[in-house]
Amino acid sequence: MIVRRPTDDDFAAVLGVLQSADRAVYGGSDWTEGDLADEWRALDLERNAWLVELDGRLAGVMHLYARDDGRFIADGYVHPDRTGRGVGARLLDLAERRAHEVAAADSLVGPATLETAHLVGDPRAPALLAGTGFERVRTFFRMVIDLDDVPVTPVPPEGLELRTLDVERDGRRVHAAVDEAFVDEWSYRPRPFDEWAKDVFGWRGFDADLVPVLWAGDEIAAVSLNYWKRLGDWGWVGTLAVRPAWRRRGLGLALLHEGFRRFHERGERTVALGVDSENPTGATRLYERAGMRVLWRADVWRKELTVAIEVAP
């Protein structure tokens, strides 16, 4: 088993491992070249990414993401033809050691945590994670809809007006509305506007024409941040935010239908999103009412990093 850092020359092989791991569980893959390129641009490949080779062939990939609240996210994949040979365990160990190293260097107050996830249906992952001290904490769904027919044109509830996002004028108010809507969401972390806006409005394919906003006078009541081909080769509903005072009035469904309509006009015939299965606002039921179905499920596991680990040189 050889462990090394990825280089640009590994890009195609790494993408192949990610896609093959997905296909082995649900028959398809969300990973695209653009998605992996985005990930690598945001990662320090020399410190927070690893490849494992077996018999001269790429067997596994791990990316590690550090959050400023003491959370670390380990995103690992093992090629389905090379499972059962310790690759997954080695990747987890590498990620955990690096997380300890970063936590120690940053002098974090309170325990740091390491999270990872696997597609439900992977037979080996639960035993591996439970055996290395992780506990399952959440399940997320990828939901999709096929837009075979022209979507219905939504009628906003009385007193509300549907407009297209104006980033320069309304960007900060959209940011505030999203923070308010998601304050009780599991693992949601409010971010300063500039950091948030860089990720949302500054994404390479962002198009404000795909973003409908519902206004109540001069207040934002709800917004759907939609993207063209982000996180998969389909239309992507990144954030559907309804402020608490306007919930239970059909705003979420209206924004979904409007987003579907805009994607359909662009020629897109599939739209997807991700959702916490235990979302406190009942979002999963809303998406089902809109005609969406679950494509795959992923379990999230978490481990507290409270035991010192000697960092390998």
Side-chain angles (χ1 to χ4, degrees):
M1 187 181 294
I2 297 174
V3 177
R4 63 180 179 84
R5 303 296 185 177
T7 70
D8 290 343
D9 292 339
D10 297 307
F11 185 89
V14 168
L15 182 61
V17 169
L18 306 185
Q19 292 175 337
S20 295
D22 283 355
R23 291 190 187 108
V25 178
Y26 80 95
S29 178
D30 299 5
W31 280 101
T32 68
E33 290 185 7
D35 293 334
L36 182 57
D38 286 344
E39 295 295 311
W40 277 18
R41 277 192 291 268
L43 271 173
D44 183 344
L45 297 181
E46 286 295 321
R47 294 180 174 86
N48 298 326
W50 300 265
L51 304 183
V52 169
E53 293 180 346
L54 284 176
D55 305 323
R57 299 177 64 188
L58 185 59
V61 180
M62 174 63 78
H63 298 152
L64 181 69
Y65 307 87
R67 305 292 188 241
D68 58 14
D69 57 357
R71 292 171 58 230
F72 295 86
I73 313 297
D75 191 26
Y77 299 80
V78 178
H79 194 286
D81 293 342
R82 297 164 185 83
T83 58
R85 299 179 62 183
V87 176
R90 182 72 173 119
L91 291 172
L92 277 176
D93 181 65
L94 291 164
E96 184 170 344
R97 288 175 180 273
R98 174 60 177 159
H100 272 277
E101 179 183 11
V102 174
D106 291 348
S107 300
L108 292 174
V109 177
T113 60
L114 179 64
E115 293 176 14
T116 191
H118 68 87
L119 292 177
V120 175
D122 180 343
R124 299 178 185 271
L128 169 62
L129 294 171
T132 50
F134 285 83
E135 294 184 356
R136 191 180 70 82
V137 292
R138 217 70 172 184
T139 298
F140 281 78
F141 297 157
R142 175 72 80 246
M143 300 186 72
V144 299
I145 185 171
D146 298 318
L147 304 178
D148 297 324
D149 300 319
V150 178
V152 299
T153 299
V155 178
E158 185 175 355
L160 298 181
E161 181 183 359
L162 186 63
R163 306 177 200 164
T164 296
L165 172 66
D166 183 323
V167 173
E168 293 299 321
R169 184 189 64 201
D170 304 321
R172 289 185 180 274
R173 289 203 279 186
V174 168
H175 172 244
V178 170
D179 272 354
E180 182 181 347
F182 280 80
V183 65
D184 293 324
E185 292 286 327
W186 182 80
S187 78
Y188 181 73
R189 178 180 66 91
R191 293 182 290 169
F193 173 75
D194 289 343
E195 177 187 334
W196 178 87
K198 181 179 179 181
D199 179 57
V200 176
F201 305 142
W203 180 67
R204 56 181 171 80
F206 181 77
D207 184 348
D209 288 341
L210 288 172
V211 179
V213 186
L214 278 169
W215 290 82
D218 61 355
E219 285 190 80
I220 291 177
V223 59
S224 183
L225 293 168
N226 302 327
Y227 303 87
W228 184 257
K229 309 293 187 183
R230 184 173 190 174
L231 295 183
D233 188 21
W234 42 38
W236 179 252
V237 180
T239 302
L240 180 65
V242 181
R243 295 176 62 197
W246 280 275
R247 288 176 182 163
R248 311 299 178 188
R249 297 172 58 183
L251 276 66
L253 189 61
L255 284 176
L256 280 174
H257 284 156
E258 177 62 14
F260 297 163
R261 187 188 67 79
R262 295 185 185 200
F263 280 124
H264 192 275
E265 283 188 347
R266 296 282 187 92
E268 182 57 69
R269 294 299 179 263
T270 304
V271 177
L273 54 77
V275 61
D276 176 1
S277 67
E278 299 176 43
N279 179 285
T281 66
T284 302
R285 295 189 298 275
L286 166 65
Y287 302 144
E288 290 173 340
R289 289 200 302 274
M292 306 190 82
R293 69 184 189 280
V294 175
L295 178 65
W296 52 254
R297 295 168 171 80
D299 283 346
V300 178
W301 296 64
R302 176 183 287 169
K303 180 178 184 178
E304 287 197 5
L305 304 178
T306 55
V307 179
I309 292 181
E310 180 183 354
V311 177

